[in-house]
Amino acid sequence: IFLIEERKDDMAVHASVNGTTAIPWRSSRRRLSLLEKLRGCQDAWCPGAPWDREGAHAAIRGAPAGSFLVVRDSVTSRPCLLCVSAGDQHGEVLDYNMNCTGTAFQLAESRLSFSDLPQLVLFYSLTR
């Protein structure tokens, strides 16, 4: 179950070095963008077998609004369904059929297309 949430707070720990304040990881490690984070864990939110529509619904029913899983077609193994928790008291899960070719991903009812699945998920997570 995945819920996209970007945190704005920065939990920096300041250390005193030669009378100055240093934050060592800021110069050596940059923060990953939300898109990079999605790409890094795609196997978790868009797993292969054994997920199907019913299994995805059972997994995210009652989860916070915006939690999602992507179901792959059992024959082609291409992403075919985006399941999103509505987060209501009835545990409603919304389904969005997906079309994907080798170079484009889109929701069936949309004209917008994306070059990869994480871009599609990020766009719809931030705009709906």
Side-chain angles (χ1 to χ4, degrees):
I1 303 170
F2 280 83
L3 174 63
I4 294 181
E5 179 179 310
E6 190 166 13
R7 295 183 59 174
K8 301 292 182 199
D9 60 333
D10 194 355
M11 307 270 296
V13 175
H14 300 272
S16 181
V17 178
N18 294 331
T20 63
T21 301
I23 306 171
W25 63 82
R26 284 209 177 165
S27 62
S28 62
R29 290 181 11 198
R30 69 176 180 85
R31 293 180 67 145
L32 293 176
S33 71
L34 201 47
L35 183 57
E36 290 168 322
K37 290 176 186 177
L38 275 172
R39 285 185 176 135
C41 63
Q42 183 172 338
D43 288 341
W45 55 263
C46 184
W51 290 106
D52 60 7
R53 180 183 178 274
E54 291 76 26
H57 278 225
I60 62 174
R61 186 169 288 116
S67 299
F68 67 96
L69 285 170
V70 173
V71 175
R72 293 180 181 273
D73 181 273
S74 61
V75 175
T76 65
S77 194
R78 291 184 179 200
C80 65
L81 187 67
L82 173 62
C83 301
V84 182
S85 172
D88 63 10
Q89 64 186 5
H90 304 295
E92 185 178 6
V93 176
L94 306 172
D95 289 333
Y96 299 95
N97 289 313
M98 297 173 57
N99 297 324
C100 67
T101 63
T103 59
F105 295 83
Q106 68 185 145
L107 295 186
E109 68 271 3
S110 175
R111 293 183 184 180
L112 296 174
S113 62
F114 301 87
S115 62
D116 65 15
L117 188 56
Q119 287 180 13
L120 178 143
V121 170
L122 178 64
F123 176 80
Y124 287 110
S125 296
L126 296 177
T127 61
R128 294 193 178 193

